[in-house]
Amino acid sequence: MNALAIAVDNAPWQRRWRRFRRNRTALSGLYVLVALIVFSLAAAPLEALLGIDANNADLLSRFDGRSATNWLGHDELGRDVLIRLMYGGQVSLGVGIAATLLGAVIGISIGLAAGYFGGNLDALLMRFTDGIIALPLLPLLIVLAAIDLTKLGFSADFARSSAASFYRIVLIIALIDWTRIARLVRASTLSIREREFVLAARVSGAGTVRILLRSVLPNVIAPIIVACSQVLGSVILFEAVLSFLGFGIAPPTPSWGNMLNNAQELVATAPMLAIYPGLLIFITVIAVNFIGDGLQDAFDPRAE
Amino acid sequence: MFFLRRLLGMAIVLLAMSFVVYGLIGLMPGDPIDLMVMSNPGITAADADRLRALYSLDEPLVTRYGHWLIAALQGDFGFSRVYAQPVLDIIGPALWQTTKLVALTLVISSILATALGILSALRPGGKIDTLVSFISFAGISLPSFWLALILILTFAVWLGWLPASGMGRPGEEGFLGNARFLILPVTTLVIANIGGVTRYARSALIETLRMDFIRTARAKGAREPRVVLRHGVPNALSSVITVIGMNFGTLFSGALITETMFAQRGLGKTIYDAILGNDYNLALVALLFATFATLIGNLLADLACAWLDPRISVI
Amino acid sequence: MTALLSVKDLTISFPVGRVNLFTGHRRAIHAVQDVSFDIASGETLALVGESGCGKTTAGRAIAGLYKAPKGAISFRGQDILDLPRASRRTVRRAIQMIFQDPFSSLDPRMTVSEILSDPLKVNGIGNAQEIRERVQDLIGQVGLPADTLNRHPHEFSGGQRQRIAIARALAPEPQIVVADEPLSALDVSVQSQVLNLLGALKRQRGLSYLFISHDLAAVHHIADRVAVMYLGRLVEIAGRDALFAAPRHPYTQGLLAAVPRIGHRRRRRSLIEGDLPGPLAIPSGCGFHPRCPLAKDICRRERPELKSHAGDRAHLAACHFAGEAL
Ligand SMILES: Nc1ncnc2c1ncn2[C@@H]1O[C@H](COP(=O)(O)OP(=O)(O)OP(=O)(O)O)[C@@H](O)[C@H]1O
Ligand code: SF4
Ligand SMILES: [Mg+2]
């Protein structure tokens, strides 16, 4: 009985999954993304297996070619390229997912507030959102990333640490990537707040917070998922370019962006050092975008 | 009325932006007086304090911002620390350089995107459509700095056909001499830009082709390519312009990347260098000009749309 | 006898369109205007009228769904539009609502048990064990089996869903239930079952209903008194039998004439002709004059007051000629 009820209740999700699966590009995107995640997570085990230390600079083996333990050779400081690419993947994907989720929290809050309360608050919040969307965001991000954390009262040690650079880039990207999610959540909230089950909850005495969390939010999950999947790609690109420009993840912690830091000068001597990280970014983002596109179709209410 | 409201909105955005960035700059590494002290060992601690008072750095943020704003409204945007020139003298040529880059990109990518959109929309789901859609996704997903790197590697390092960077030597500044330097940056920006625009053009066209007047034209026996050209293209073009208008900010971000990669002194690179070099006044004003240009771009795109599509009335 | 619920001069407008840049105002739809009526304990007042005349809006205002309606609504003599935050929920509990469309009034993501226990939880009624018992009790009272509770709304038919919605409305132990066209979304075959359920619950619990409907047969079956609305205003209100037997307002007469099967004296006049004017263009004088077969000059100039005309003091009508022999 119970199992049946749950199975039936999952029907919309099963339908969506079936529609998603039919989309071959989206499905391959998903496979590629899973493979990339496995690739990144395999860094530490592989490092141990090969008995090398990817952070260990060894100037004697700069630019050395492949070998039995260094499958993709060495970089300009003699570090193992493959393992650093794998660790870089953890950082790049980690920043991407964390900043998208944090941005989603901001976007959901703003979208719910604007859509549910409407009126002047809605007008104000949406003007604000449109204003942010129109701005040239990269220079703004650079300004935010250039802030000296010690002037905000953090210790100098923390400010220089790569943990700080991780949190900072997650935070500043989240500060600008919420807009799309906010607009989608607002639009869905607007339509849901007039639905009779929400009115019924109000009549029965439920407070605003309870209604938002229990009646509205669960019913806007689908558009949120679609929006997040579409935002993730651009977030990964933002992390890459900021780290590349020296405003993101601080070396020696590798990210796919900052592994390209020196690539421009080295492009003639060691082109592969410039090609690998960029190729990984490209493959990741295109996979994510294919997934996002597939989710959009699969979650399209007109198809339900 | 609409026009006035837009201008008012722009003014508000610029004001808010200038205040926020002005405040953020106070949080950037280095203190202007310290920087002066560093570059001139003759300055004593007492001098430094006097300087601080002179630049009213000891006053609260809002007061300082007020002074700055009043001066700025009178056209005095202050000096660049690094270049020791009025910032406007630096921003002028940079703005012109960026405008060239962006304008070329816009023209080329609008034409290409419309053409690709038409090719896709003729047979949605067909082979060409699949290919175009793949290209669009690739364009959206390419990190443009890396694309620039690959283009440099291919055309400057390996093939040696084009210069890797710079804007031309003083002697060969004529348009053609200059154009050689623009080929790779514009290519980069077009590729980065075209994916999103094409997807938009395609869906707008498919929508249009479903609309009634097109069906009527078809029913009257007009041939397919003719129908698409007569009715589809204007519609596709106006939606291309809409999406370009909405994405001016993104375009400028792209310009920052390409200018930095190809060492072209446009507005984007000016901002980037200014922040790296602690030249904050220059960074602030350049960023405001970039924002202003972006907003003007949005507005122009809206006006162009209204002009192309009589159904939308914006004024 | 003081009324359980008393509505006085209730007026509700919705701003529509853009703010006028010169005056700073927006145009407004007056969905409900100067509506007054009382409901006694245990009484069912039916609210009838054409689509768009403001029935739902009035019902929702009484259920507390609009922020600041004009006029006054009092429950047991207490003004409920201006309650302090603290007591709002306890007073409001007494007025619950059943919605028109049971397909959208139940949250698709909740189980029936959650749907029924939520009102108890938010009102702080009982501990977990008590809530479980009451929920089982409720589902039994509306005639559904206990295993309904673990299932989701989409597994039920319209009639079953409406029973669930009724159970939810009953959960906080209300004294008045606003039932907004509770039958109109249901198959004809189940309409009478739900109607009988409503009647039985009323008798068992001594409930009052504001029963919104345009099904005059159902109204005749369940109502004690009937109020007729037209373009946001009450045009007639009377005891059920008086209204069905001798309607005084031409609009009511037209409504009843459209339903011959009730079996009362067949009217000679045919249906009301013409279209309902838009809510933004309410006619001057008597709102009904463009469609009224009896309209005279005065009807265009002066709005008739809602008042008693002859004999029956509880029979009010808003027509200049309601007192004349028809
Ligand atoms: N939120 C709103 N905003 C603007 N106008 C509204 C709103 N709600 C209702 N209206 C308008 O108020 C008028 C009365 O609507 P209401 O729903 O109360 O009518 P009704 O008598 O219940 O009709 P029906 O029989 O179709 O349910 C209608 O003209 C409607 O368009
Ligand atoms: S007042 Fe006049 S128009 Fe209105 S209902 Fe009576 S007779 Fe008709
Ligand atoms: Mg209604």
Side-chain angles (χ1 to χ4, degrees):
Chain A
M1 179 69 241
N2 241 332
L4 177 73
I6 290 165
V8 175
D9 178 47
N10 281 334
W13 291 96
Q14 285 170 354
R15 273 201 306 276
R16 288 165 183 162
W17 169 236
R18 226 176 303 128
R19 275 200 299 272
F20 182 84
R21 248 181 357 195
R22 271 205 305 267
N23 184 336
R24 290 234 305 282
T25 28
L27 197 62
S28 1
L30 186 61
Y31 290 146
V32 170
L33 187 65
V34 170
L36 282 163
I37 291 173
V38 171
F39 169 78
S40 308
L41 293 180
L46 186 65
E47 199 177 19
L49 193 72
L50 295 175
I52 54 179
D53 177 0
N55 268 327
N56 187 25
D58 172 9
L59 295 183
L60 289 179
S61 44
R62 294 173 64 186
F63 303 122
D64 271 6
R66 302 149 192 229
S67 70
T69 51
N70 303 92
W71 296 349
L72 292 181
H74 298 261
D75 69 3
E76 72 275 14
L77 294 177
R79 296 171 296 191
D80 181 73
V81 171
L82 175 63
I83 304 289
R84 276 178 59 80
L85 282 172
M86 294 162 88
Y87 277 118
Q90 290 181 10
V91 174
S92 292
L93 286 169
V95 170
I97 291 168
T100 303
L101 291 181
L102 190 59
V105 171
I106 302 174
I108 290 169
S109 318
I110 290 186
L112 279 180
Y116 190 75
F117 296 109
N120 288 336
L121 182 71
D122 180 31
L124 189 76
L125 288 175
M126 285 303 112
R127 287 283 145 71
F128 180 60
T129 310
D130 289 343
I132 300 254
I133 290 176
L135 293 179
L137 292 175
L138 183 60
L140 204 59
L141 282 175
I142 293 179
V143 169
L144 285 169
I147 287 176
D148 183 357
L149 289 181
T150 57
K151 292 202 178 177
L152 288 175
F154 291 98
S155 75
D157 279 345
F158 176 75
R160 267 196 308 275
S161 68
S162 54
S165 71
F166 181 90
Y167 293 132
R168 177 168 62 195
I169 195 165
V170 166
L171 185 69
I172 64 176
I173 293 181
L175 282 181
I176 57 125
D177 75 6
W178 53 267
T179 50
R180 183 194 199 109
I181 296 171
R183 291 177 110 183
L184 272 167
V185 170
R186 169 184 174 268
S188 317
T189 306
L190 270 181
S191 74
I192 284 180
R193 75 163 182 191
E194 296 301 328
R195 297 271 292 279
E196 290 186 343
F197 67 84
V198 174
L199 299 180
R202 281 172 57 198
V203 173
S204 71
T208 308
V209 174
R210 188 183 179 96
I211 288 176
L212 284 177
L213 294 183
R214 200 164 155 78
S215 302
V216 179
L217 194 55
N219 287 291
V220 298
I221 288 291
I224 290 174
I225 291 178
V226 173
C228 283
S229 69
Q230 291 171 343
V231 167
L232 180 58
S234 63
V235 170
I236 294 177
L237 287 178
F238 268 129
E239 184 277 326
V241 69
L242 282 174
S243 297
F244 169 73
L245 293 174
F247 288 101
I249 298 294
T253 303
S255 89
W256 288 338
N258 75 16
M259 289 179 73
L260 288 161
N261 272 160
N262 299 320
Q264 192 160 12
E265 288 112 70
L266 302 172
V267 77
T269 32
M272 290 324 275
L273 288 187
I275 290 177
Y276 292 135
L279 206 56
L280 282 173
I281 298 170
F282 175 52
I283 293 172
T284 310
V285 175
I286 203 170
V288 166
N289 283 337
F290 279 144
I291 295 173
D293 195 51
L295 286 177
Q296 165 130 54
D297 290 346
F299 282 49
D300 185 350
R302 278 169 298 183
E304 300 253 302
Chain B
M1 208 60 228
F2 162 83
F3 205 70
L4 282 183
R5 279 230 309 276
R6 284 291 293 262
L7 290 182
L8 188 70
M10 275 169 64
I12 293 175
V13 170
L14 283 173
L15 258 181
M17 178 93 167
S18 65
F19 180 69
V20 170
V21 176
Y22 192 92
L24 289 176
I25 277 173
L27 298 172
M28 303 247 165
D31 171 303
I33 305 297
D34 289 349
L35 289 168
M36 261 187 233
V37 176
M38 255 172 6
S39 53
N40 182 351
I43 299 177
T44 65
D47 290 338
D49 283 345
R50 234 173 298 125
L51 277 172
R52 227 176 274 279
L54 182 67
Y55 288 104
S56 46
L57 283 176
D58 41 5
E59 290 185 42
L61 174 67
V62 181
T63 323
R64 278 184 289 140
Y65 173 72
H67 291 318
W68 177 88
L69 184 65
I70 288 167
L73 288 178
Q74 292 163 350
D76 172 13
F77 286 97
F79 276 75
S80 149
R81 194 183 67 83
V82 170
Y83 297 91
Q85 275 178 21
V87 288
L88 287 186
D89 291 359
I90 301 162
I91 289 174
L95 191 57
W96 170 234
Q97 177 67 28
T98 302
T99 308
K100 274 194 292 191
L101 177 66
V102 167
L104 272 175
T105 305
L106 277 183
V107 172
I108 296 174
S109 52
S110 311
I111 295 172
L112 275 179
T114 311
L116 288 175
I118 290 172
L119 280 179
S120 303
L122 279 178
R123 203 160 297 126
K127 277 215 182 71
I128 297 181
D129 184 32
T130 314
L131 183 69
V132 170
S133 140
F134 192 84
I135 294 174
S136 312
F137 269 107
I140 299 170
S141 311
L142 268 174
S144 44
F145 65 95
W146 182 68
L147 173 64
L149 214 56
I150 299 299
L151 290 178
I152 291 175
L153 184 64
T154 316
F155 292 99
V157 178
W158 286 341
L159 298 173
W161 290 351
L162 291 164
S165 64
M167 307 194 288
R169 263 168 259 114
E172 47 178 58
E173 243 167 24
F175 183 77
L176 275 184
N178 217 326
R180 271 168 23 95
F181 289 91
L182 275 175
I183 293 178
L184 287 183
V186 169
T187 310
T188 309
L189 211 45
V190 166
I191 295 179
N193 196 36
I194 200 167
V197 185
T198 305
R199 271 162 54 81
Y200 210 84
R202 170 185 178 273
S203 52
L205 253 170
I206 291 180
E207 199 91 327
T208 321
L209 294 181
R210 277 203 210 109
M211 280 183 337
D212 284 345
F213 70 98
I214 298 247
R215 290 231 189 88
T216 323
R218 272 194 198 134
K220 282 204 210 122
R223 287 217 334 274
E224 192 70 0
R226 219 182 116 79
V227 173
V228 171
L229 284 181
R230 274 288 298 281
H231 301 281
V233 173
N235 270 287
L237 204 58
S238 80
S239 54
V240 162
I241 291 175
T242 313
V243 68
I244 283 177
M246 292 190 307
N247 287 328
F248 254 97
T250 316
L251 195 59
F252 184 82
S253 299
L256 188 151
I257 297 171
T258 36
E259 286 166 6
T260 308
M261 294 305 293
F262 294 101
Q264 299 200 316
R265 264 251 227 112
L267 205 49
K269 183 165 164 56
T270 303
I271 296 175
Y272 175 67
D273 289 346
I275 289 175
L276 276 185
N278 298 343
D279 192 352
Y280 298 131
N281 193 40
L282 178 58
L284 169 64
V285 179
L287 186 52
L288 289 181
F289 270 84
T291 309
F292 183 65
T294 304
L295 297 178
I296 291 280
N298 288 335
L299 187 60
L300 287 181
D302 283 358
L303 292 178
C305 251
W307 177 68
L308 271 177
D309 187 346
R311 281 170 310 173
I312 312 170
S313 103
V314 278
I315 303 181
Chain C
M1 182 184 71
T2 70
L4 183 66
L5 180 85
S6 166
V7 176
K8 191 115 193 66
D9 297 332
L10 182 66
T11 298
I12 293 158
S13 354
F14 298 107
V16 287
R18 287 196 154 279
V19 178
N20 182 318
L21 288 166
F22 298 103
T23 62
H25 293 297
R26 292 169 75 182
R27 298 217 295 165
I29 287 184
H30 299 291
V32 172
Q33 267 189 306
D34 293 328
V35 165
S36 305
F37 57 76
D38 288 348
I39 300 182
S41 187
E43 183 185 49
T44 296
L45 174 68
L47 193 54
V48 302
E50 269 166 298
S51 184
C53 70
K55 307 181 298 291
T56 297
T57 309
R60 287 184 179 182
I62 291 165
L65 285 171
Y66 298 116
K67 233 174 250 149
K70 286 206 263 323
I73 303 177
S74 49
F75 178 74
R76 292 190 185 286
Q78 182 182 17
D79 179 3
I80 59 170
L81 290 183
D82 196 23
L83 286 172
R85 243 191 138 69
S87 55
R88 192 176 301 156
R89 190 172 287 153
T90 42
V91 178
R92 279 274 174 217
R93 247 180 77 180
I95 306 175
Q96 292 298 316
M97 182 150 180
I98 301 167
F99 292 85
Q100 176 169 6
D101 180 3
F103 289 85
S104 92
S105 72
L106 304 177
D107 192 330
R109 272 155 223 281
M110 292 191 187
T111 62
V112 173
S113 149
E114 285 171 311
I115 288 171
L116 297 185
S117 49
D118 251 26
L120 298 170
K121 283 186 199 145
V122 298
N123 286 298
I125 304 174
N127 58 30
Q129 172 64 28
E130 284 161 4
I131 288 180
R132 211 169 311 127
E133 285 165 8
R134 288 185 75 139
V135 163
Q136 271 165 3
D137 205 35
L138 280 168
I139 206 73
Q141 283 191 37
V142 296
L144 291 174
D147 69 10
T148 308
L149 290 173
N150 301 323
R151 301 208 259 156
H152 287 260
H154 63 80
E155 298 171 56
F156 298 98
S157 70
Q160 289 168 317
R161 287 179 188 223
Q162 199 58 300
R163 284 170 190 266
I164 297 168
I166 291 171
R168 171 183 56 198
L170 295 179
E173 303 271 292
Q175 282 156 298
I176 298 183
V177 173
V178 176
D180 185 4
E181 308 199 24
L183 311 178
S184 67
L186 308 181
D187 289 344
V188 180
S189 55
V190 293
Q191 283 185 353
S192 59
Q193 294 169 16
V194 173
L195 190 63
N196 288 333
L197 172 65
L198 287 172
L201 290 168
K202 166 186 161 169
R203 263 172 274 119
Q204 285 159 23
R205 300 176 160 241
L207 283 176
S208 301
Y209 287 129
L210 177 64
F211 186 83
I212 298 172
S213 178
H214 34 221
D215 176 351
L216 292 175
V219 167
H220 189 263
H221 182 83
I222 198 168
D224 301 308
R225 284 194 303 141
V226 181
V228 184
M229 269 182 97
Y230 185 77
L231 283 184
R233 292 181 183 274
L234 279 193
V235 295
E236 184 158 11
I237 181 167
R240 174 193 61 186
D241 296 334
L243 189 114
F244 276 88
R248 295 227 164 112
H249 195 283
Y251 176 65
T252 316
Q253 291 161 2
L255 276 185
L256 293 178
V259 192
R261 67 195 167 91
I262 291 189
H264 286 264
R265 200 151 48 93
R266 188 98 195 248
R267 305 268 146 203
R268 262 162 291 134
R269 254 185 304 279
S270 62
L271 314 183
I272 305 162
E273 283 167 10
D275 289 329
L276 192 69
L280 279 168
I282 293 180
S284 63
C286 172
F288 190 50
H289 81 249
R291 299 165 77 189
C292 180
L294 303 179
K296 306 262 160 30
D297 266 358
I298 184 178
C299 307
R300 267 175 282 278
R301 289 194 316 271
E302 279 175 41
R303 188 168 53 232
E305 217 184 309
L306 181 68
K307 59 178 189 204
S308 80
H309 288 264
D312 185 357
R313 303 243 345 249
H315 191 153
L316 313 181
C319 170
H320 293 303
F321 307 108
E324 296 173 17
L326 296 163

